[in-house]
């Protein structure tokens, strides 16, 4: 059976090890999770993957590409690896993929971690996405050059210029392509769980940052209030990509949650 998407498995590789699947945001590539791997690999079988149409998962996406297809890729990947269930950890779009998975096959989820997610697209998030699409219409370089402004705190940006320059060059060389990005973003913007939250009983950990420009922290608060089996943790600092901008604080809370649900 051919794997639906390129992936990498690391950590404790044996049948009894709990599996943690890491699903990235709009960028789609598994390398986003580099700051989390060391803390997870000591106790878990860790799967990172490149979402269809990104990274090593080269594909031209269909015009009707949907969140359901993104979730089905995860199901097919778990089937390919003979994994019955996993802890799904998803950042923004990755968290929305996890929520769609919870509606399609909740038995495949031991728990769901949603980082800077939402039930319904907020007007501020829509405005940011529209600005990014406008930049993309100018050039891929304009889109990539502006991307850190939506992801990181201002002081972090000013302190990491060299890192950001290197990352920009890397993203330009490995960009998913404007057509794929537009289709993936359309699928994300058109997805809503407003009428389904009460039916999702998977244990959920909702993380957000008060200084997130892209997704207001109140979206996570609303999400947690609507999910019947959830906990909310609010970071004061870190912005949208606090997994990268403040990994120690983020990793601590993620490890606590996984340990808690593992023991339950």
């Amino acid at each position: 059976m051919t794997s639906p998407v390129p992936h990498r498995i690391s950590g404790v590789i044996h049948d009894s090890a709990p599996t943690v699947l890491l699903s990235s945001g709009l960028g789609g590539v598994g390398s986003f999770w580099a700051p989390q791997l060391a803390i997870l690999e000591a106790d878990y079988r860790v799967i990172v993957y490149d979402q269809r149409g990104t990274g090593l998962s080269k594909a031209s996406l269909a015009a009707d590409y949907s969140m359901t297809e993104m979730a089905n890729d995860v199901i097919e990947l778990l089937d390919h690896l003979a994994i019955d269930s996993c802890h799904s950890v998803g950042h923004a779009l990755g968290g929305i993929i996890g929520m769609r998975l919870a509606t399609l096959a909740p038995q495949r989820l031991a728990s769901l971690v949603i980082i800077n997610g939402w039930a319904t697209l907020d007007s501020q998030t829509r405005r940011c996405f529209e600005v990014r699409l406008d930049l993309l219409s100018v050039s891929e370089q304009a889109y990539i050059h502006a991307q850190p402004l939506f992801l990181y705190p201002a002081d972090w940006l000013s302190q990491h210029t060299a890192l950001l320059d290197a990352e920009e060059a890397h993203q330009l060389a490995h960009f998913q392509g404007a057509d794929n990005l537009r289709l993936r973003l359309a699928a994300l913007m058109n997805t809503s769980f407003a009428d389904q939250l009460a039916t999702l009983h998977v244990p959920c950990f909702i993380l957000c940052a008060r200084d997130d420009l892209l997704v207001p922290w109140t979206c996570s608060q609303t999400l947690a209030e609507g999910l019947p089996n959830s906990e909310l943790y609010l970071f004061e600092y870190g912005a949208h990509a606090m997994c990268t901008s403040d990994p120690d604080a983020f990793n601590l809370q993620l490890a606590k949650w996984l340990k808690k649900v593992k023991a339950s």
Side-chain angles (χ1 to χ4, degrees):
M1 179 180 177
T2 302
S3 172
V5 290
H7 62 277
R8 181 170 71 84
I9 305 177
S10 61
V12 182
I13 312 298
H14 56 72
D15 292 341
S16 63
T19 297
V20 175
L21 180 136
L22 302 173
S23 188
S24 304
L26 194 57
V29 295
S31 58
F32 173 81
W33 299 101
Q36 280 65 60
L37 293 183
I39 194 171
L40 293 173
E41 288 174 337
D43 298 300
Y44 302 95
R45 174 170 44 186
V46 182
I47 302 172
V48 294
Y49 72 104
D50 291 350
Q51 294 166 15
R52 189 176 299 277
T54 74
L56 297 177
S57 186
K58 302 296 184 184
S60 295
L61 304 177
D64 59 351
Y65 191 63
S66 69
M67 196 61 57
T68 295
E69 289 179 84
M70 296 188 207
N72 281 333
D73 275 344
V74 174
I75 294 172
E76 292 179 26
L77 178 57
L78 295 176
D79 288 345
H80 172 75
L81 298 172
I83 295 172
D84 292 332
S85 68
C86 67
H87 300 279
S88 174
V89 179
H91 180 264
L93 180 145
I96 306 301
I97 292 173
M99 292 177 68
R100 176 58 74 218
L101 181 58
T103 69
L104 297 173
Q107 73 279 6
R108 307 305 293 265
L109 293 173
S111 76
L112 175 59
V113 179
I114 305 168
I115 305 154
N116 293 325
W118 58 86
T120 300
L121 192 70
D122 184 82
S123 59
Q124 165 65 7
T125 308
R126 181 178 298 279
R127 181 183 298 274
C128 289
F129 284 157
E130 289 171 349
V131 168
R132 295 172 80 178
L133 286 169
D134 287 344
L135 290 165
L136 184 61
S137 69
V138 174
S139 70
E140 294 179 357
Q141 184 169 8
Y143 175 92
I144 292 170
H145 187 59
Q147 183 167 256
L149 302 177
F150 299 95
L151 301 182
Y152 302 115
D155 62 329
W156 192 94
L157 288 167
S158 69
Q159 295 163 16
H160 293 84
T161 303
L163 176 65
L164 292 168
D165 288 346
E167 181 62 21
E168 181 173 332
H170 177 80
Q171 289 189 22
L172 274 172
H174 301 279
F175 191 58
Q176 61 189 271
D179 290 342
N180 278 0
L181 179 57
R182 289 190 182 97
L183 289 168
R184 285 163 43 76
L185 186 52
L188 176 60
M189 295 175 70
N190 292 330
T191 299
S192 174
F193 296 94
D195 298 328
Q196 297 175 284
L197 292 184
T199 69
L200 304 182
H201 294 275
V202 172
C204 294
F205 190 35
I206 316 298
L207 300 115
C208 59
R210 193 182 296 275
D211 59 348
D212 187 352
L213 170 69
L214 182 58
V215 183
W217 70 269
T218 49
C219 295
S220 290
Q221 182 181 51
T222 300
L223 190 57
E225 290 171 350
L227 290 165
N229 189 12
S230 68
E231 294 183 19
L232 173 68
Y233 189 88
L234 174 63
F235 293 94
E236 293 296 325
Y237 177 83
H240 190 65
M242 73 278 209
C243 327
T244 298
S245 57
D246 196 1
D248 291 343
F250 175 85
N251 291 348
L252 177 63
Q253 297 306 319
L254 178 61
K256 284 182 177 180
W257 166 258
L258 292 172
K259 184 177 181 180
K260 177 180 177 179
V261 291
K262 182 180 178 181
S264 63

